[in-house]
Amino acid sequence: MTVLVSVWGAAPGVGKSTVCAGLARSLAGAGLRVDHFHEEEILTRPQFAAVAEEFRATGAVGLNTLITATARFVESVQARGDDVVIADALVPFMPTLLAMGHGEQTIDTFTADLTRVLSPLRPVIVFLDGDPAIALSRAALREGAGWLDQYVTKLTAYGVIPRVTDLASAVTYLRRERAMTLDVAGRPGWGLVMVERADELPREEVLGVAARGLGAWLGGGDGEALLRAVEGERRERPA
């Protein structure tokens, strides 16, 4: 069964794209067939064409559109026979659901439908935890002047709940997003690998913790091969 690894973080800047790239590279190095689904590819992957079209036309996406697109993606994964899909912030679509103003009851129903659609795969959320305020500051340093203001403005325009008007309210919103994402990961049919203090640890250590946790979901031989590949990369990387 293909393992679908969806990497999420407590906030932008916590390192999820770095972990995605590291896991994809190490899994391929361990001899597994890996599909690395980058975050922006939701607008270009053929299975999500209806999602991209609807979003460009209306600025929103219907829940049925998301479910249908995900089902097509699962079919394509099965057809290719991938061992692992590494998805940067794909399922369970939590920021999208909150940005469209859906309440907890609607999200609960959607999550049940999504779990059913994903049942041919083994979905595992790798969650990079930490303080959203620290992670946002790190992202602002990386992205440059004006990024943080643009991020707050984007959340304000989406009309998310709780309403975002400044950095403090953005942190409050991200904490709600975190709680709801972890609620999904705690349900039957989902796996969870929690990386504590990801905003404080060195990137290599975050990747190592994620790989060790993921190894249990990959199964004996594949999990051990992943850990060897990660450790091999760390030894080979210049000091």
Side-chain angles (χ1 to χ4, degrees), residues 67 106-117 187 190:
I67 290 293
T106 300
I107 291 175
D108 186 71
T109 301
F110 173 84
T111 299
D113 292 339
L114 180 64
T115 302
R116 174 181 49 78
V117 166
R187 300 182 183 206
W190 294 76

Side-chain angles (χ1 to χ4, degrees), residues 1-5 32-35 73-86 118-124 189 214 217-218 222:
M1 179 181 288
T2 302
V3 179
L4 171 61
V5 181
L32 300 179
R33 293 164 295 182
V34 181
D35 176 16
F73 176 66
V74 170
E75 290 173 359
S76 72
V77 170
Q78 291 181 289
R80 288 194 308 269
D82 296 321
D83 295 308
V84 184
V85 177
I86 301 292
L118 292 175
S119 61
L121 310 180
R122 182 178 296 159
V124 180
L214 187 57
W217 293 97
L218 290 174
D222 291 340

